[in-house]
Amino acid sequence: MLLFSDALFLLFAALVADALIGDPDLLWRRWPHPVVLIGRFIGFLDRTLNRDGLPQERRKRRGVVALVALVAIGFGLGYAIEHAARLLPFGQILTVAVAAVFLAQKSLYQHIAAVRDGLLTDGLAGGRKAVAMIVGRDPQTLDEAGVSRASIESCAENFSDGVVAPAFWFAVLGLPGLIAYKAVNTADSMIGHKTERHQAFGWASARFDDLVNLPASRLSGLLIVLVAPLAGGSPLTALRTILRDARKHRSPNAGWPEAAMAGALDIALAGPRSYPGYTVEDPFLNASGRTSVTAQDISRALNLLKGSCLLLALFVLLLAAAIAAVNGTAVF
């Protein structure tokens, strides 16, 4: 296992690499992305263990088995890669490259910016088409404000799930923690739904995902609070919005970055939402904020995303340097 200060220096390098390079299309057109491979394995477990006709209690037990298998394989794979990196010359480069693959700063920015650009270039139809790529709700029910709110909510939630949480678990447990986290998070997105098929089988994955995202969601909200002035917002207002409204969200974690984003932008987020086949009647976060959200507000949210990612990287670097100085150790 990596020393904590070493893990932080490597994490900083991975954050920089992901921010600059992201997910190269040329690479992932030739080979499947590791998260795609994780998804295929989860699909295999779902087809094999979650068979039609099984009693719900039995599906629940099998879901626990599937979760244990995912965590064990993810942790073991990460350990094997780390061990191989220690044996190779300049093995830290391999560790950084693998860690960067599982971070999503640049790809998240690109997906959210595509919604803004779709609205500005092709109007509501363009915005709906782009937002359908990142959210599960029915895009045909969304007006411009709905498209804009959906993209900003996705920006906030995925900043936590796709950037801060994998960074946190890499810092704590190295590549084993990072890959195991991505396996759990992918399982939650695939089988952690309250549908007839997955309510029991995906129960363990959904609950464990809530647990492992708990620290990162709080840190994500704090980072957004601190960079609120980049969007013309007030850190104090953003913090007050978190303290007042985060618990109103149906997710124990998503409410923190979404409430921070709502307060920083002075807009209302969440609220009633339509998904294919059903509607969610949730309260608004920052209900006193504007509901007439526009493409310009998406640009402001992207400023918060960039600032939060930069602040996270600087925090990681400074903490690594401070620990190394205290311990009297060299970098790496």
Side-chain angles (χ1 to χ4, degrees):
M1 194 69 68
L2 293 168
L3 294 175
F4 187 49
S5 59
D6 288 352
L8 289 174
F9 279 119
L10 293 174
L11 174 58
F12 172 75
L15 287 166
V16 172
D18 175 59
L20 295 177
I21 301 171
D23 291 328
D25 289 337
L26 182 61
L27 177 63
W28 302 126
R29 279 201 299 264
R30 292 175 176 268
W31 293 284
H33 193 283
V35 174
V36 173
L37 295 177
I38 292 172
R40 289 177 183 174
F41 181 61
I42 294 167
F44 167 76
L45 292 174
D46 187 23
R47 293 189 302 273
T48 304
L49 300 177
N50 189 26
R51 295 175 182 168
D52 292 339
L54 287 174
Q56 292 294 79
E57 192 58 37
R58 195 171 176 189
R59 288 190 181 203
K60 197 172 192 177
R61 290 196 298 269
R62 289 187 172 205
V64 173
V65 172
L67 173 64
V68 171
L70 279 171
V71 172
I73 291 172
F75 203 89
L77 181 60
Y79 179 83
I81 296 172
E82 263 190 12
H83 181 71
R86 284 196 292 269
L87 300 177
L88 294 172
F90 307 105
Q92 296 98 333
I93 296 175
L94 173 62
T95 301
V96 168
V98 173
V101 164
F102 289 100
L103 296 167
Q105 298 167 103
K106 188 170 184 177
S107 62
L108 175 58
Y109 183 93
Q110 290 170 333
H111 279 95
I112 303 303
V115 180
R116 176 200 60 192
D117 297 342
L119 285 171
L120 294 176
T121 304
D122 299 316
L124 183 56
R128 285 174 171 172
K129 181 179 179 180
V131 83
M133 303 296 293
I134 57 173
V135 300
R137 65 195 70 176
D138 184 358
Q140 298 307 312
T141 66
L142 301 175
D143 56 10
E144 180 183 355
V147 168
S148 300
R149 281 200 304 272
S151 67
I152 293 171
E153 290 160 16
S154 181
C155 179
E157 183 176 359
N158 283 290
F159 170 60
S160 178
D161 292 357
V163 179
V164 180
F168 175 86
W169 287 110
F170 179 84
V172 174
L173 294 173
L175 284 180
L178 170 57
I179 297 177
Y181 166 77
K182 290 302 294 186
V184 171
N185 190 242
T186 305
D188 177 59
S189 68
M190 291 180 65
I191 63 175
H193 308 296
K194 294 183 178 180
T195 60
E196 183 178 352
R197 176 172 177 80
H198 289 127
Q199 184 164 7
F201 185 72
W203 171 83
S205 294
R207 297 290 74 78
F208 195 59
D209 183 72
D210 287 342
L211 178 64
V212 296
N213 273 301
L214 197 106
S217 64
R218 276 65 179 167
L219 178 57
S220 300
L222 179 59
L223 289 168
I224 294 171
V225 164
L226 293 174
V227 300
L230 295 178
S234 162
L236 184 58
T237 300
L239 180 60
R240 285 173 176 166
T241 306
I242 288 178
L243 297 177
R244 184 187 65 237
D245 292 346
R247 65 182 180 274
K248 296 178 181 178
H249 202 286
R250 62 178 46 235
S251 165
N253 295 314
W256 286 73
E258 286 189 29
M261 190 74 79
L265 299 174
D266 194 24
I267 59 175
L269 293 178
R273 303 183 295 283
S274 294
Y275 294 85
Y278 66 99
T279 300
V280 173
E281 296 292 340
D282 281 354
F284 280 103
L285 306 179
N286 193 37
S288 61
R290 280 186 298 109
T291 56
S292 56
V293 185
T294 68
Q296 284 68 35
D297 292 306
I298 301 177
S299 292
R300 296 170 63 219
L302 288 170
N303 287 339
L304 294 178
L305 175 62
K306 288 189 293 185
S308 296
C309 290
L310 177 60
L311 186 59
L312 173 64
L314 290 175
F315 173 75
V316 167
L317 178 61
L318 291 175
L319 182 59
I323 293 173
V326 169
N327 294 336
T329 57
V331 177
F332 306 133

